[in-house]
Amino acid sequence: MAGRVRHPIDMRALEAWISKTVPEIEVPLDIKQFGFGQSNPTYQLTAADGRRYVLRKKPPGQLLSKTAHKVEREYRIIAALASTDVPVPKAYCLCEDPSIIGTPFYIMSFLDGRIFEDPIIPNVLPDERRAIWSDAVRVLAKLHRIDPRSVGLENFGKSTGFYNRQIATWKTICDAQARVEDVETRVAVGQLPYFEPMMRFFADEKQQPADRGTLVHGDFKIDNLVFHKTEPRVIGILDWEMSTIGHPLSDLSNLLTPYFTARLDPSKAVNVHPGFLPRATRGLPTPDEITRLYYSVVDPQTKSALELSLHNSQKSADDQERKRELQWAMSFSMFRLAAICQGIAARQAGRQASSEKARRYGEARAPLARFAWELVQAVQPGAESGKPRL
């Protein structure tokens, strides 16, 4: 999992700083770097006494984004959540002085557990698969029920207007991406299918979920969780760089994404998990079971009513509204994924991304946008004419 160091660190300077700042971490240190996939270079530190730690730093060089790679933000929320029932690594120190190892960094505890890269969670029994997913849902609900003020994070983001800000941001981004021309053919990337009617729908506050703000992870999914070595229990949530105060349905819809993308043609879309189709994988909870469990933890007072609803074909008005809100959030989540793929197509047009994987992601933008529009129509049937074909 951790091996060759690809982004070198001045170990002498690091050890001197640690000895002065965090004497409980015994030097000298052995260092290895974790595998590809992290936007922030991540290292395993083994201290002289054999204890392991994790160092997260910003990438070297000039950063293109002012909002990405916020290791300071990661450290702040991990440290704040230490006093709660949300499992996080222990935060030891933050160094904002780039002169030490070239960029700001922080050090946290190493969590010795299991990370499941495949959300199907293969090679486990059905009961364990269900228990693993269930604990992931419970942990997410625990995060969302924390009052940011209670942990000193009241200024971690704006408490209202999350989706309106997202809509405005992505409209601007998509418009710019659509105008990018291929360096050879001079053909523009083009706008996403159904872009304008989707923007009108998302901007309609009457259709949006009720505005609320909680602590959100920003990329909550199974492979960003560390599970106990032998128990179906989350021992830590990783990769907090996109965390903020936002709408909780953005996290829940992100977790549920593989259930929805499973419907797509894997030859035309990306991140398609056929194992998430209904009854395809034993032990995998259904989206309805996940949302019932989520709300029972977020608001324990609703638990008895939700349990009764399992045996009652007549759903309550609250259940129906929750389903509608989640469908809205899922449609926006799919649109956002399509917009990200459009961005990859734009980078490919400028020859900034040329791999086969980049090409596949770029080509997936239209099928994903059509699917997002189909989900929009399920929220408000007949809102705009024309049902897309996937």
Side-chain angles (χ1 to χ4, degrees):
M1 192 174 183
R4 179 179 63 87
V5 174
R6 301 181 304 281
H7 299 92
I9 285 178
D10 184 339
M11 289 304 295
R12 184 175 297 180
L14 176 63
E15 289 174 346
W17 186 87
I18 286 176
S19 293
K20 180 180 179 181
T21 310
V22 201
E24 64 184 288
I25 300 178
E26 297 185 17
V27 299
L29 302 168
D30 176 72
I31 185 170
K32 295 180 181 179
Q33 188 168 354
F34 287 98
F36 295 95
Q38 295 96 355
S39 61
N40 293 317
T42 306
Y43 304 81
Q44 176 181 286
L45 305 178
T46 303
D49 60 1
R51 295 182 180 181
R52 288 180 288 178
Y53 306 87
V54 173
L55 182 149
R56 292 261 287 175
K57 66 185 286 291
K58 292 188 179 184
Q62 183 68 34
L63 300 181
L64 297 178
S65 172
K66 295 181 179 180
T67 58
H69 314 294
K70 291 287 189 179
V71 295
E72 304 93 340
R73 196 170 188 82
E74 288 193 6
Y75 175 85
R76 184 181 173 193
I77 191 166
I78 290 172
L81 292 175
S83 61
T84 73
D85 60 354
V86 176
V88 291
K90 178 180 178 181
Y92 282 94
C93 57
L94 170 67
C95 177
E96 298 181 271
D97 182 356
S99 70
I100 306 300
I101 63 170
T103 68
F105 67 90
Y106 73 93
I107 296 176
M108 61 183 173
S109 61
F110 173 81
L111 299 177
D112 191 8
R114 297 176 290 172
I115 295 178
F116 299 106
E117 295 182 4
D118 186 342
I120 284 292
I121 312 179
N123 305 317
V124 301
L125 295 173
D127 285 349
E128 184 177 9
R129 180 176 294 113
R130 176 175 290 275
I132 287 169
W133 261 87
S134 295
D135 204 55
V137 175
R138 278 190 289 269
V139 164
L140 178 62
K142 289 177 181 178
L143 172 65
H144 290 169
R145 71 186 184 189
I146 292 173
D147 182 347
R149 295 171 297 182
S150 69
V151 290
L153 294 176
E154 60 271 19
N155 296 321
F156 203 60
K158 296 181 179 179
S159 60
T160 60
F162 174 79
Y163 274 123
N164 281 335
R165 290 192 300 276
Q166 287 279 300
I167 293 160
T169 296
W170 281 107
K171 185 179 188 308
T172 300
I173 291 173
C174 287
D175 284 338
Q177 291 173 168
R179 291 192 296 269
V180 174
E181 294 183 351
D182 187 281
V183 295
E184 296 176 6
T185 67
R186 310 314 302 176
V187 175
V189 169
Q191 196 50 274
L192 297 171
Y194 300 99
F195 178 74
E196 292 299 336
M198 276 197 288
M199 289 297 96
R200 288 195 294 272
F201 172 80
F202 291 136
D204 183 356
E205 294 187 1
K206 294 179 182 178
Q207 299 292 337
Q208 292 176 11
D211 192 19
R212 48 193 183 272
T214 67
L215 292 175
V216 295
H217 179 271
D219 192 22
F220 194 90
K221 53 184 181 175
I222 291 293
D223 63 351
N224 275 337
L225 307 176
V226 182
F227 290 83
H228 189 275
K229 276 187 169 182
T230 59
E231 301 173 14
R233 174 170 58 85
V234 178
I235 61 173
I237 310 173
L238 305 179
D239 292 352
W240 290 87
E241 67 176 290
M242 297 174 68
S243 59
T244 186
I245 295 177
H247 202 292
L249 289 183
S250 63
D251 273 346
L252 183 58
S253 60
N254 197 72
L255 180 64
L256 288 170
T257 292
Y259 285 92
F260 285 76
T261 54
R263 312 173 192 178
L264 301 176
D265 183 344
S267 68
K268 298 179 180 179
V270 291
N271 298 331
V272 177
H273 300 275
F276 280 89
L277 290 170
R279 297 177 295 281
T281 304
R282 293 175 59 205
L284 201 62
T286 67
D288 280 348
E289 289 171 333
I290 286 172
T291 53
R292 281 196 295 268
L293 174 58
Y294 169 82
Y295 281 111
S296 75
V297 178
V298 167
D299 185 2
Q301 293 181 346
T302 67
K303 186 173 183 179
S304 58
L306 289 167
E307 289 174 339
L308 286 172
S309 73
L310 290 171
H311 309 287
N312 188 348
S313 60
Q314 185 65 40
K315 297 293 185 180
S316 69
D318 285 347
D319 287 340
Q320 290 290 355
E321 180 59 13
R322 283 171 175 166
K323 281 190 173 184
R324 191 199 68 81
E325 286 192 339
L326 182 56
Q327 187 82 3
W328 189 101
M330 283 306 317
S331 63
F332 186 80
S333 185
M334 285 300 114
F335 157 74
R336 182 174 173 272
L337 182 55
I340 291 170
C341 289
Q342 183 196 40
I344 295 172
R347 290 195 294 276
Q348 189 179 33
R351 300 302 182 266
Q352 296 172 304
S354 58
S355 69
E356 175 63 19
K357 184 177 181 181
R359 183 188 67 79
R360 285 198 67 244
Y361 271 77
E363 291 177 350
R365 66 189 186 277
L368 286 168
R370 294 189 185 104
F371 183 54
W373 177 239
E374 183 175 298
L375 295 177
V376 164
Q377 290 182 306
V379 180
Q380 188 186 29
E384 298 278 353
S385 61
K387 183 176 182 180
R389 282 187 259 171
L390 300 181

